[in-house]
Amino acid sequence: MADRDERYYRSCLDHYHVSRRGLFRGLFGGLKNSQPQQQIAVLRDIARPPTALDEALFTALCNGCKACEQQCSQQVIEWGDDNKPQLNLDYNHCTQCAECQRVCPTSALSSPIADTEYRPIFSAGCLNRVSGHCQTCVEQCPQQALTINNNQQPQVDSNRCDGCGLCRSNCYIGAVTLALIIVT
Ligand code: SF4
Ligand code: SF4
Ligand code: SF4
């Protein structure tokens, strides 16, 4: 039975690597030859540590050991009612240090894509939109994923953004919120 379980999960993981790559290729690859039209994808409704597998596989594999929560120096991993780790970027950002993945004893955190799946949304109160005098989020983004568009609105490139949340914690007027969506 143990062998069977291992084979089952190995097969699921192989499929995962293919299907997730396919998903991202589908989301972003088609963009090159397509019209300027927004695509929105919601990949899960609970934020997980950045290398979490697809939700069904993640919840099947995570044994609730709390090693990731204890290891996170940013303290952005909290314990959920589902007895699994959840990401909370309300008070700090994720440095993408990969320590949670390193200590995970199962394959629950084994995605080759380190992405929290959060993307920033900018409110009408953004100082650049109001006066054109702030570029803090653009300057601080470690992935160079933000630009100011012609309407003086910060704009995220979902291909570059890894959902770290630094733009949110750096915005001193609170104009940035994070949502579990990928907008292209
Ligand atoms: S990558 Fe690092 S900072 Fe981010 S959740 Fe994991 S341990 Fe915490
Ligand atoms: S370290 Fe891995 S198995 Fe343990 S709680 Fe975190 S995700 Fe689950
Ligand atoms: S979440 Fe992180 S990577 Fe994405 S735009 Fe904000 S600072 Fe940049």
Side-chain angles (χ1 to χ4, degrees):
M1 189 64 180
D3 281 352
R4 206 167 165 182
D5 285 349
E6 193 180 327
R7 276 202 307 275
Y8 168 75
Y9 287 127
R10 181 57 49 204
S11 154
C12 285
L13 285 171
D14 288 347
H15 170 72
Y16 166 79
H17 288 308
V18 172
S19 62
R20 174 138 172 164
R21 240 185 273 124
L23 169 67
F24 275 78
R25 200 179 300 123
L27 278 173
F28 303 132
L31 208 63
K32 293 187 184 76
N33 18 318
S34 70
Q35 331 64 28
Q37 165 187 339
Q38 282 196 330
Q39 296 180 54
I40 297 177
V42 179
L43 302 181
R44 68 178 95 229
D45 56 14
I46 299 173
R48 303 295 188 188
T51 55
L53 297 177
D54 284 347
E55 189 65 10
L57 260 182
F58 171 80
T59 52
L61 290 170
C62 173
N63 64 10
C65 71
K66 296 195 175 183
C68 53
E69 182 198 27
Q70 289 154 8
Q71 189 71 13
C72 180
S73 57
Q74 294 292 96
Q75 298 186 317
V76 293
I77 298 179
E78 295 181 345
W79 214 242
D81 294 338
D82 59 354
N83 199 34
K84 310 285 179 200
Q86 300 185 357
L87 206 60
N88 183 347
L89 301 184
D90 285 348
Y91 308 104
N92 208 352
H93 66 280
C94 166
T95 60
Q96 297 285 13
C97 67
E99 279 298 300
C100 50
Q101 181 179 27
R102 188 181 66 77
V103 298
C104 179
T106 69
S107 298
L109 303 180
S110 64
S111 168
I113 301 168
D115 189 338
T116 71
E117 297 169 3
Y118 272 128
R119 292 297 180 268
I121 295 173
F122 301 88
S123 79
C126 163
L127 288 182
N128 204 294
R129 289 174 74 162
V130 173
S131 66
H133 291 313
C134 178
Q135 298 235 9
T136 304
C137 57
V138 175
E139 289 162 359
Q140 298 295 318
C141 174
Q143 302 299 325
Q144 291 81 50
L146 295 174
T147 50
I148 303 293
N149 68 18
N150 292 338
N151 296 323
Q152 292 188 192
Q153 294 179 1
Q155 184 168 306
V156 64
D157 178 345
S158 263
N159 285 308
R160 287 178 172 271
C161 176
D162 61 13
C164 71
L166 192 59
C167 48
R168 175 179 171 140
S169 47
N170 273 339
C171 179
Y172 39 87
I173 65 156
V176 183
T177 53
L178 296 172
L180 279 171
I181 55 173
I182 291 187
V183 183
T184 65

